[in-house]
Amino acid sequence: MAGRDFSNIRVIRAAVVRQKDGPLNIEKLYMKGPRDDEAVVRTVATGVCHTDISMLHSWDETDGPQVLGHEGAGIIEEAGRNVKSFRPGDHVILSFQSCGVCAGCKSGRPSQCRRFYELNFGFRRVDGTNGLAASGVSGHFFGQSSFATYMLATERNMVKISKALPLALLAPLGCGIQAGAGAVMNQLKIRKKESMAVFGTGAVGLAAVMAGRMTGAAPVIAVDIKTARLKLALEMGATHIVDSRKSDVAAAIRKIAPDGVDYSLETTGRPPIMQLAVDMLKKGGTAAYFTGGFPDLVPRGRKAVSVIAGDAVPQKFIPRMILWYKAGKFPFDRMIQFYDFRQINRAVKDSLQGKTVKPVLLFDGKTPR
């Protein structure tokens, strides 16, 4: 590392990907920043999302070592001189990154940012640099890389919350839960008495179920293979459940909604289920896909759409979810299980095995009340 500029360097600890499927190793790294448009956030907690796990599964040696994590929450320790809306000591939830200058961003739809993929999956800043370069590791995943004791973020992906709120509990609102609820509220705009089927009752699916209940959708059908998750779906707002291990899913849905459903939300990414989601639609219905793909055949008169971040503006939608939670309408806390940061590999394993719906890693060892 001779000859490198080590001014403004902070020592951090981060869970680093160095091999496909892990394990993740917690290592000492060097983070340079903040830049003028960045803030340094001390991580209090972060959710573990299936997007993190899928990145771990797809990792290749050519990707080099990386720091994942994109449902971070923490406290600002330092802010660059161009950061106007935040100051040290602010409590923030982090969400996806966007450029702020393209047509999508300027129209108030940051999830449609022209550089969305680059800024969230490119492991670099807008200008192509990397704050973890001194360690030979890539960061800036979703503009945060929250599997670390400190993060670099911008005004575009930080959401300020009251210091009186349980910061660690709210951490997972920045991605999966926002995506599920946002798909129902923002993108599909499901209305009272419109029917919906949710395929997969992980964090995204359960968030969609809760949002469907709030809109007055009926019936709200939850489909999964996990009995415990289906039971939770009923408690969180589903009117019907279908265990795909025990039932013919198509026949079960047709029994509940003979003409098909108005909307289906597919969260599993499994090709047979992706096709089933669109096949179960009534004429004029819409299937929403969260995993980036589409079924092989979309019947005429039906529509398939891709969900990106719930078509949400985080600075507006995350406070809405918090208000729903405080009012007892959005009990997302029921799907959370806390782990110490050092237990990150156990959290990943438990998520994959379905033992935990939404793992949240704690960095200060304190479980929020």
Side-chain angles (χ1 to χ4, degrees):
M1 293 188 287
R4 295 185 183 179
D5 178 10
F6 282 88
S7 60
N8 204 21
I9 288 283
R10 186 180 303 263
V11 178
I12 71 171
R13 295 191 68 79
V16 182
V17 182
R18 292 189 182 272
Q19 64 186 72
K20 181 181 174 67
D21 293 326
L24 296 163
N25 299 307
I26 298 178
E27 305 175 12
K28 181 173 74 173
L29 303 180
Y30 299 94
M31 185 179 80
K32 186 172 183 178
R35 296 269 185 98
D36 287 347
D37 65 339
E38 292 177 329
V40 173
V41 180
R42 177 175 63 83
T43 312
V44 170
T46 182
V48 177
C49 178
H50 272 277
T51 299
D52 297 310
I53 297 173
S54 67
M55 293 292 292
L56 187 60
H57 287 338
S58 62
W59 186 89
D60 185 87
E61 286 187 5
T62 59
D63 296 325
Q66 299 170 336
V67 178
L68 299 170
H70 63 288
E71 292 182 340
I75 301 170
I76 295 178
E77 287 209 349
E78 185 179 354
R81 62 184 179 183
N82 294 336
V83 176
K84 306 300 183 184
S85 302
F86 300 84
R87 64 182 60 187
D90 284 345
H91 289 204
V92 292
I93 296 171
L94 272 59
S95 190
F96 62 88
Q97 189 62 278
S98 57
C99 74
V101 297
C102 71
C105 289
K106 287 186 174 180
S107 67
R109 300 187 69 193
S111 66
Q112 302 301 313
C113 176
R114 180 175 61 85
R115 303 179 70 178
F116 185 93
Y117 187 86
E118 172 190 348
L119 295 179
N120 291 284
F121 293 91
F123 291 91
R124 58 186 182 272
R125 295 182 174 105
V126 174
D127 65 0
T129 60
N130 167 31
L132 299 180
S135 299
V137 176
S138 296
H140 305 282
F141 186 54
F142 275 71
Q144 52 182 287
S145 285
S146 60
F147 289 169
T149 52
Y150 289 89
M151 307 171 279
L152 290 170
T154 74
E155 288 186 289
R156 297 290 302 173
N157 72 324
M158 292 191 294
V159 180
K160 189 187 304 184
I161 66 168
S162 167
K163 294 178 183 179
L165 292 172
L167 186 59
L169 182 66
L170 304 178
L173 294 181
C175 183
I177 295 173
Q178 176 175 244
V184 171
M185 297 288 196
N186 304 324
Q187 189 162 358
L188 301 177
K189 295 181 171 62
I190 299 177
R191 296 173 295 183
K192 187 175 182 179
K193 294 187 178 180
E194 290 185 318
S195 54
M196 56 183 278
V198 179
F199 295 87
T201 55
V204 175
L206 287 174
V209 166
M210 289 187 288
R213 178 185 61 183
M214 286 191 290
T215 67
V220 176
I221 306 165
V223 182
D224 207 307
I225 62 173
K226 298 286 186 181
T227 302
R229 291 191 180 189
L230 289 170
K231 180 182 177 182
L232 187 57
L234 273 178
E235 295 169 357
M236 295 175 111
T239 59
H240 301 77
I241 56 173
V242 177
D243 187 332
S244 57
R245 294 175 306 175
K246 302 176 181 178
S247 305
D248 180 320
V249 177
I253 292 177
R254 291 292 185 191
K255 186 175 181 179
I256 300 164
D259 297 326
V261 293
D262 294 298
Y263 298 95
S264 61
L265 297 94
E266 205 293 312
T267 72
T268 72
R270 295 181 57 223
I273 305 300
M274 294 172 71
Q275 187 63 54
L276 185 63
V278 76
D279 289 343
M280 290 294 96
L281 294 172
K282 65 172 58 172
K283 189 173 182 180
T286 301
Y289 293 89
F290 291 81
T291 54
F294 287 100
D296 295 330
L297 177 65
V298 178
R300 181 175 296 182
R302 296 161 179 81
K303 184 168 65 172
V305 298
S306 179
V307 177
I308 300 176
D311 201 22
V313 178
Q315 290 77 13
K316 295 180 180 179
F317 197 66
I318 288 175
R320 286 179 67 191
M321 290 191 288
I322 292 173
L323 288 175
W324 296 334
Y325 168 70
K326 291 173 68 177
K329 299 177 181 179
F330 196 67
F332 70 91
D333 57 317
R334 298 195 58 193
M335 56 174 116
I336 290 176
Q337 181 169 328
F338 293 103
Y339 298 78
D340 186 271
F341 177 45
R342 293 168 295 184
Q343 297 174 302
I344 186 169
N345 291 301
R346 177 186 159 194
V348 169
K349 181 179 179 181
D350 286 356
S351 180
L352 284 170
Q353 294 180 346
K355 294 180 179 179
T356 301
V357 178
K358 172 54 67 176
V360 173
L361 306 175
L362 299 176
F363 288 74
D364 60 8
K366 298 178 182 177
T367 301
R369 297 179 179 178

